[in-house]
Amino acid sequence: MLIRGRENARWFFWLNDRQWARIEPHLPRGLTGPDRDDDRRIVSGIIHMLQSGARWRDCPREYGPYTTIYNRFNRWAKRGRWCAIFEALAKPGEDGVVLSLDSTSIKAHRCALRRKRGEHNQAIGRSRGGRTTKIHALSDPLCRPVVLHLTPGQDADIAAAPDVLALAPPMSVLLADKGYDGDKLRGAIIRRGAKPVIPNKSNRVVIHRFNKRAYKGRNVIERCFCRLKDFRRIATRYDKLARNFLAAVHLAALVAYWLN
């Protein structure tokens, strides 16, 4: 939910009552240390920063000190809290759902680059578009992502598919483009009890049957990525650490799809 600031013309994001009722039960409890500040205000501030793409130090004072906002995001990313909340809420609601698999490339800003070696370990690689990160996702028929995974930008889509499928819920059909056309992947999908709907590559010797009508439903994954990239800190990667960028993607996916 967006509200207009009283003192200026900027717009701010605040979790509404329905959104907060969904996310609050999954926040960590019983942690040692001093009592936390207002969780709703701070989480709203984190989401605002993901949407605006601004530097953390430019966080509006209405959310509190920017150090508190960043430290909460960073510490919970380090502990895997944001990913855990996403996994708890991102449930398709039915077994045997039709899922779509694809990836999108994200340009890494220069502030996300590391001077020393090790960019590959942080899911940053060199591709035709420069230094990029790939977000791999599985989406349900309502465009909602159910699995999110990162790799360096130059990695082939089919190479990351097994790691994505390992996190997938039960499904009846998997839709993917011809970049995922491989016998090993098709076999893995079938062993999971699902039917692969993947176009055949032009150089394939053994041609598999292909349901063109069912394949038209694959557009949901493209729409999913478009909405995620409405968050400017997702459309461009500013985080040096892969864990922080993945946490940001999970949180953006929650707000865009699973908290409404």
Side-chain angles (χ1 to χ4, degrees), residues 92-129:
E94 58 180 286
D95 293 336
V97 69
V98 177
L99 298 181
S100 298
L101 172 65
D102 205 353
S103 72
T104 187
S105 293
I106 304 297
K107 181 74 172 181
H109 191 270
R110 66 181 182 86
C111 67
L113 307 180
R114 304 170 69 91
R115 294 182 179 179
K116 299 181 180 179
R117 296 181 180 179
E119 289 180 352
H120 190 277
N121 295 332
Q122 298 301 329
I124 297 177
R126 295 177 180 268
S127 63
R128 292 181 180 179

Side-chain angles (χ1 to χ4, degrees), residues 2-258:
L2 296 174
I3 64 171
R4 196 174 183 83
R6 295 180 180 178
E7 300 179 0
N8 50 51
R10 290 183 296 179
W11 290 83
F12 303 108
F13 176 91
W14 291 92
L15 292 163
N16 60 35
D17 292 340
R18 184 178 66 255
Q19 292 171 326
W20 184 243
R22 294 211 63 197
I23 196 174
E24 184 181 21
H26 302 284
L27 297 181
R29 304 292 182 189
L31 299 179
T32 58
D35 294 337
R36 297 200 301 260
D37 290 336
D38 181 9
D39 282 334
R40 187 170 181 175
R41 171 172 54 82
I42 293 175
V43 174
S44 296
I46 293 171
I47 296 170
H48 173 84
M49 298 307 293
L50 299 185
Q51 287 185 331
S52 67
R55 301 178 303 171
W56 290 101
R57 66 174 58 252
D58 294 330
C59 181
R61 63 180 180 272
E62 285 79 1
Y63 296 114
Y66 80 89
T67 52
T68 302
I69 305 299
Y70 173 73
N71 288 337
R72 178 73 58 85
F73 171 75
N74 182 54
R75 289 169 182 168
W76 284 14
K78 185 177 181 179
R79 298 169 181 169
R81 301 290 185 184
W82 302 116
C83 298
I85 294 172
F86 175 84
E87 292 172 357
L89 294 177
K91 304 292 185 182
E94 58 180 286
D95 293 336
V97 69
V98 177
L99 298 181
S100 298
L101 172 65
D102 205 353
S103 72
T104 187
S105 293
I106 304 297
K107 181 74 172 181
H109 191 270
R110 66 181 182 86
C111 67
L113 307 180
R114 304 170 69 91
R115 294 182 179 179
K116 299 181 180 179
R117 296 181 180 179
E119 289 180 352
H120 190 277
N121 295 332
Q122 298 301 329
I124 297 177
R126 295 177 180 268
S127 63
R128 292 181 180 179
R131 285 184 170 134
T132 56
T133 293
K134 271 188 179 179
I135 301 177
H136 303 263
L138 278 172
S139 172
D140 70 4
L142 299 179
C143 303
R144 301 176 301 183
V146 296
V147 175
L148 295 162
H149 178 66
L150 300 183
T151 65
Q154 79 276 12
D155 286 9
D157 289 349
I158 195 171
D163 292 333
V164 178
L165 292 179
L167 303 172
M171 55 185 168
S172 59
V173 177
L174 180 66
L175 310 177
D177 62 29
K178 63 176 61 178
Y180 295 92
D181 181 22
D183 291 336
K184 289 185 178 180
L185 180 59
R186 287 179 180 270
I189 296 170
I190 294 172
R191 286 192 294 273
R192 290 180 59 91
K195 177 182 178 182
V197 178
I198 304 173
N200 295 280
K201 289 184 177 179
S202 58
N203 62 348
R204 172 170 278 282
V205 176
V206 179
I207 303 299
H208 295 274
R209 297 182 62 183
F210 172 61
N211 189 331
K212 292 184 178 181
R213 177 175 296 181
Y215 184 72
K216 291 181 179 180
R218 198 191 68 86
N219 69 84
V220 297
I221 189 71
E222 306 293 350
R223 290 150 58 193
C224 170
F225 286 135
C226 286
R227 191 168 179 186
L228 286 179
K229 290 182 179 180
D230 286 340
F231 292 77
R232 293 186 176 184
R233 291 191 73 95
I234 307 303
T236 302
R237 174 174 171 176
Y238 299 101
D239 298 290
K240 288 185 177 181
L241 299 179
R243 73 169 192 234
N244 283 18
F245 184 60
L246 183 59
V249 176
H250 279 120
L251 186 52
L254 280 174
V255 176
Y257 290 103
W258 294 102

